[in-house]
Amino acid sequence: MGKGRLEAFSDGVIAIIITIMVLELKVPHGTDWTALKALSPVFLSYVLSFVYVGIYWNNHHHLFQAVHKINGRILWANLHLLFWLSLTPFVTGWMGENHFAPLPVALYGGNLLMAAISYTILVRALLAHHGPDSTLARAIGKDFKGYLSLALYLVAIPLSFLNPWIGVSLYALVAIIWFIPDRRIEKQIAE
Amino acid sequence: MGKGRLEAFSDGVIAIIITIMVLELKVPHGTDWTALKALSPVFLSYVLSFVYVGIYWNNHHHLFQAVHKINGRILWANLHLLFWLSLTPFVTGWMGENHFAPLPVALYGGNLLMAAISYTILVRALLAHHGPDSTLARAIGKDFKGYLSLALYLVAIPLSFLNPWIGVSLYALVAIIWFIPDRRIEKQIAE
Amino acid sequence: MGKGRLEAFSDGVIAIIITIMVLELKVPHGTDWTALKALSPVFLSYVLSFVYVGIYWNNHHHLFQAVHKINGRILWANLHLLFWLSLTPFVTGWMGENHFAPLPVALYGGNLLMAAISYTILVRALLAHHGPDSTLARAIGKDFKGYLSLALYLVAIPLSFLNPWIGVSLYALVAIIWFIPDRRIEKQIAE
Amino acid sequence: MGKGRLEAFSDGVIAIIITIMVLELKVPHGTDWTALKALSPVFLSYVLSFVYVGIYWNNHHHLFQAVHKINGRILWANLHLLFWLSLTPFVTGWMGENHFAPLPVALYGGNLLMAAISYTILVRALLAHHGPDSTLARAIGKDFKGYLSLALYLVAIPLSFLNPWIGVSLYALVAIIWFIPDRRIEKQIAE
């Protein structure tokens, strides 16, 4: 089974997710700086989510460069990842419109955690299908970044109830860690 | 006539359907668990519809792997399927926002039934174009799952007026039946 | 210049147009048949527009099968067509929510007319680039259906002010005329 | 790394941006010309933004025809461009619904300026990856149009506070300058 349509469908879903989030930036009625300034928490959460969805697209792109074949299990593991990503506009809107209140910030992190877990499941399904000696297996390696992210989310979520800005800062930290695309795969393919 | 653009267009429409459904998950005003809990029926119907649309995409993907050529009739049979799928966000929203009331649950099933019928019509149009000795014809075979689904929908819709949860349970049962992608086609292509 | 991205971009835009129209089908508050019946004009206009956008996609698909090369002028002629198609959700919503009042029905026809004119311009731009002896030129021929559609729209729009249902009936008639995809191109390519 | 998915993803995001802007054209309650006329500023800003997003798609299309390879930095430079383009529906809606008030017009220009800067950054990243002797480098040349646009935006934004129509006119002027796709690249590839 070829990977073409899985890539095309994922590109479509991720493109829509990253774009419809802007619909949460509701056009304000006033025309002065005050009206605009009131939108700043919504805008800030939009930027964070745009970067996150962008990171997922970049990593998905890198990951599938080393993929040669797929199966039914991989299709569902991919849809599972898309499911959690599809909730991003909702958790982003809830966090932004409520000025980073504790529960919305924790839920935002919970969604990031589920997306990260589902990405890990997708990687495992791909590895199981390609075998331990594949380019993919060498490219993934020990997946240090992946486990570090999971750990940081698990710390950030409870701390959000103490002070939501700790949570937001840790989410931003994970984003920075991933900002650089996964060069492991680029290297392995080059070799 | 090549199948490339039909696949690309279908991927686009299905990607949008599966993603805009999340817009029915309206951001609540409160920031506590009560506000979130009030969304649970909408979320539950979102999950069910996400799985259903995912199943249709998977089956469409599998089906077209064995397709070699298309014609005008197939284009319209495919658009007919996309029409019923495009109503999914509406029936999902109506069912979720009304806490699974009888008529919305029955209408949700009616939409599933129409989608299943239109999928069957699409399969018939493809079979007519490929002939009874094609890989496709061997892969489809007797289509037991397809007829079982139609029968279950026909039972579920009237029972929804008795108790909507019977309807929802039967819809979930059909989803579970289809959860595993259509291996018949994978097998036939492998042979 | 290859036609691949023009096709992909057009598929994307048309897929989104045909899908976001369903957002005009607002989820009703009631859960009985009365609530559903109140939606029937919106639903009827949704069906008409779905068929129309489907026809444009089918014809676009057929048209570009005979296209071998594009240029900057063709890119803009295509965007011009997409512009009028992009207004379909708006005119559909206005017509449906106002129960087929005269001006909304006339404007709906005006939009169909502009889409048809822009499609004709696109065809002319493609013909100019491919020459009078191309497969495309032979496939288009005298374009009887195209001119008949323009004439019917020009009749339907003023008659909508007399009785909107005359307008709607003529729009439906044009849709029926085009329902069968443009076999001229299929024939020419086969030859 | 191939450019295929970057093109597909960009096509998807740009297709969605150009299409969801129409959702700002809210269906009016009245059915007469007055109701329609009240929408004219929103419609005018929709047309301007449609043309602008169309220009970006055309230029992106032309640009990537001369691109042979991409890297992680280019992926992010492209996402950065898509970020500013994704804000277009918001700034368009704010400008249109407020009848071209000074601050919304200036912000619209600010968004155009950021999109232009991010496009320039993308071009630089591509040039750095392809080298000074590449087809791409020859095709871009001195990029006179690009610098002229930046200069016109920088003039238009402050003048919008004096009279918003000066700003809008200058934005329209830049659109006219870019309306003809970037023939430099077409020429270089032809050579």
Side-chain angles (χ1 to χ4, degrees):
Chain A
M1 217 190 324
K3 64 178 176 172
R5 275 190 81 182
L6 185 148
E7 290 185 327
F9 184 71
S10 306
D11 282 352
V13 171
I14 298 174
I16 299 156
I17 292 168
I18 213 170
T19 318
I20 63 169
M21 281 193 303
V22 85
L23 297 176
E24 287 297 328
L25 267 176
K26 305 258 164 62
V27 171
H29 289 296
T31 63
D32 54 5
W33 286 104
T34 322
L36 208 58
K37 212 178 153 190
L39 281 175
S40 58
V42 181
F43 182 71
L44 186 62
S45 57
Y46 176 66
V47 173
L48 184 64
S49 292
F50 192 96
V51 171
Y52 256 109
V53 178
I55 287 167
Y56 270 100
W57 181 74
N58 269 7
N59 286 346
H60 196 276
H61 181 186
H62 275 78
L63 181 65
F64 274 82
Q65 294 219 311
V67 165
H68 298 298
K69 51 186 177 176
I70 60 168
N71 59 16
R73 197 180 144 205
I74 290 165
L75 288 184
W76 278 109
N78 191 58
L79 273 167
H80 182 226
L81 169 64
L82 295 178
F83 174 77
W84 294 108
L85 291 181
S86 81
L87 293 177
T88 308
F90 171 74
V91 294
T92 306
W94 202 38
M95 184 170 79
E97 285 182 26
N98 292 296
H99 299 71
F100 298 90
L103 183 61
V105 170
L107 190 80
Y108 186 89
N111 190 48
L112 289 179
L113 177 68
M114 292 311 296
I117 289 172
S118 61
Y119 189 81
T120 307
I121 293 171
L122 173 62
V123 169
R124 296 300 144 214
L126 287 165
L127 287 175
H129 198 46
H130 284 72
D133 298 325
S134 59
T135 311
L136 188 73
R138 282 195 304 276
I140 300 295
K142 292 191 178 168
D143 196 16
F144 174 70
K145 267 191 189 180
Y147 289 111
L148 179 62
S149 308
L150 291 176
L152 285 170
Y153 293 143
L154 285 171
V155 170
I157 294 166
L159 289 180
S160 298
F161 291 101
L162 205 72
N163 184 337
W165 291 105
I166 302 176
V168 174
S169 306
L170 287 171
Y171 306 154
L173 177 67
V174 177
I176 291 163
I177 291 173
W178 281 102
F179 194 73
I180 296 148
D182 207 325
R183 294 196 188 278
R184 291 172 302 176
I185 294 172
E186 277 185 64
K187 274 183 206 158
Q188 285 294 335
I189 288 173
E191 283 171 23
Chain B
M1 217 190 324
K3 64 177 178 174
R5 275 190 81 181
L6 185 148
E7 290 185 327
F9 185 71
S10 306
D11 282 352
V13 171
I14 298 174
I16 299 156
I17 292 168
I18 214 170
T19 320
I20 63 169
M21 281 192 303
V22 85
L23 297 176
E24 288 297 328
L25 267 177
K26 305 259 165 59
V27 171
H29 290 297
T31 62
D32 54 6
W33 286 103
T34 322
L36 208 57
K37 213 180 153 190
L39 280 175
S40 57
V42 182
F43 182 71
L44 186 62
S45 56
Y46 176 67
V47 173
L48 184 64
S49 292
F50 191 97
V51 171
Y52 256 109
V53 178
I55 286 167
Y56 270 101
W57 181 74
N58 269 7
N59 286 346
H60 196 276
H61 181 186
H62 275 78
L63 181 65
F64 274 83
Q65 294 218 313
V67 165
H68 298 298
K69 51 187 179 178
I70 60 169
N71 60 16
R73 198 180 144 206
I74 290 165
L75 287 184
W76 278 109
N78 191 59
L79 273 166
H80 182 226
L81 169 64
L82 295 179
F83 174 76
W84 294 109
L85 291 180
S86 81
L87 293 178
T88 307
F90 172 74
V91 294
T92 306
W94 202 37
M95 184 171 78
E97 286 182 26
N98 292 296
H99 299 71
F100 299 89
L103 183 60
V105 170
L107 191 80
Y108 186 89
N111 189 49
L112 289 179
L113 178 68
M114 293 311 297
I117 290 172
S118 61
Y119 189 81
T120 307
I121 293 172
L122 173 62
V123 169
R124 296 300 145 214
L126 287 165
L127 287 175
H129 198 46
H130 284 73
D133 299 324
S134 59
T135 312
L136 188 72
R138 282 195 303 278
I140 300 295
K142 292 192 179 167
D143 197 17
F144 174 70
K145 266 191 189 182
Y147 289 110
L148 179 62
S149 307
L150 291 177
L152 284 170
Y153 293 144
L154 284 172
V155 170
I157 294 168
L159 288 180
S160 298
F161 291 102
L162 206 71
N163 184 336
W165 291 104
I166 302 176
V168 174
S169 306
L170 287 172
Y171 306 154
L173 177 67
V174 177
I176 291 162
I177 292 173
W178 282 103
F179 195 73
I180 296 147
D182 208 326
R183 292 196 189 279
R184 291 171 303 176
I185 294 173
E186 275 184 65
K187 274 182 204 160
Q188 284 294 334
I189 289 173
E191 284 173 22
Chain C
M1 217 190 322
K3 64 177 177 173
R5 275 190 82 182
L6 185 148
E7 290 185 325
F9 184 70
S10 306
D11 282 351
V13 171
I14 298 174
I16 299 155
I17 292 168
I18 213 170
T19 319
I20 63 169
M21 281 193 301
V22 85
L23 297 177
E24 288 297 328
L25 267 176
K26 305 258 165 59
V27 171
H29 289 297
T31 62
D32 53 5
W33 286 104
T34 321
L36 208 57
K37 212 179 152 189
L39 280 176
S40 57
V42 182
F43 182 71
L44 186 62
S45 56
Y46 175 66
V47 173
L48 184 64
S49 292
F50 192 96
V51 171
Y52 256 110
V53 178
I55 287 167
Y56 271 100
W57 181 74
N58 269 6
N59 286 345
H60 196 276
H61 181 186
H62 275 79
L63 181 65
F64 274 83
Q65 294 218 314
V67 165
H68 297 299
K69 50 187 178 178
I70 61 168
N71 60 16
R73 198 180 143 207
I74 290 165
L75 288 184
W76 278 109
N78 191 59
L79 273 166
H80 181 227
L81 169 63
L82 295 179
F83 175 75
W84 293 108
L85 291 181
S86 81
L87 293 177
T88 307
F90 171 74
V91 293
T92 305
W94 202 37
M95 184 170 77
E97 285 182 25
N98 293 295
H99 299 70
F100 299 90
L103 184 59
V105 171
L107 191 81
Y108 187 88
N111 190 48
L112 289 179
L113 178 67
M114 293 312 296
I117 290 173
S118 62
Y119 189 81
T120 307
I121 293 172
L122 173 62
V123 169
R124 297 299 145 213
L126 287 164
L127 287 175
H129 198 47
H130 284 72
D133 299 324
S134 58
T135 312
L136 188 72
R138 281 196 303 278
I140 299 294
K142 291 191 179 167
D143 198 15
F144 174 70
K145 266 191 189 181
Y147 289 110
L148 180 62
S149 308
L150 291 177
L152 284 171
Y153 293 143
L154 285 172
V155 170
I157 294 167
L159 288 180
S160 299
F161 291 102
L162 205 72
N163 184 335
W165 291 105
I166 302 176
V168 173
S169 305
L170 288 171
Y171 306 155
L173 177 66
V174 177
I176 291 163
I177 291 172
W178 281 103
F179 195 73
I180 296 147
D182 208 326
R183 293 196 188 279
R184 291 171 303 176
I185 294 172
E186 276 185 64
K187 275 182 204 159
Q188 284 294 335
I189 289 173
E191 285 171 20
Chain D
M1 219 190 320
K3 64 178 177 172
R5 275 190 81 181
L6 184 147
E7 290 184 326
F9 184 71
S10 306
D11 282 351
V13 171
I14 298 174
I16 299 156
I17 292 168
I18 213 169
T19 318
I20 63 169
M21 281 193 302
V22 85
L23 296 177
E24 287 297 329
L25 267 177
K26 305 259 164 61
V27 171
H29 290 297
T31 62
D32 54 4
W33 286 103
T34 321
L36 209 56
K37 212 180 152 190
L39 280 175
S40 57
V42 181
F43 181 71
L44 187 62
S45 57
Y46 176 66
V47 174
L48 184 64
S49 292
F50 191 97
V51 171
Y52 256 110
V53 177
I55 286 167
Y56 271 99
W57 181 73
N58 270 6
N59 286 345
H60 196 275
H61 181 185
H62 276 79
L63 181 65
F64 274 83
Q65 294 219 313
V67 164
H68 297 299
K69 51 186 178 178
I70 61 168
N71 60 16
R73 197 179 144 208
I74 290 165
L75 288 183
W76 277 109
N78 191 59
L79 273 167
H80 182 227
L81 169 63
L82 295 178
F83 174 77
W84 295 108
L85 291 180
S86 81
L87 293 178
T88 308
F90 172 74
V91 293
T92 305
W94 203 37
M95 185 170 78
E97 285 182 26
N98 292 296
H99 300 70
F100 298 90
L103 183 60
V105 171
L107 190 80
Y108 186 89
N111 190 48
L112 289 179
L113 178 67
M114 292 312 296
I117 290 172
S118 62
Y119 189 81
T120 308
I121 293 171
L122 173 62
V123 169
R124 297 297 144 218
L126 287 164
L127 287 175
H129 198 47
H130 284 73
D133 299 325
S134 59
T135 312
L136 188 73
R138 282 196 304 277
I140 300 295
K142 291 191 178 168
D143 197 15
F144 174 70
K145 266 191 188 180
Y147 289 111
L148 179 61
S149 308
L150 291 176
L152 284 170
Y153 292 143
L154 285 171
V155 171
I157 294 166
L159 288 180
S160 298
F161 291 102
L162 206 71
N163 183 337
W165 292 104
I166 302 176
V168 173
S169 305
L170 287 171
Y171 305 154
L173 178 66
V174 177
I176 291 163
I177 291 173
W178 281 102
F179 195 72
I180 296 147
D182 208 326
R183 294 196 187 278
R184 291 172 302 178
I185 293 172
E186 277 184 63
K187 275 184 205 158
Q188 284 294 334
I189 289 172
E191 284 170 22

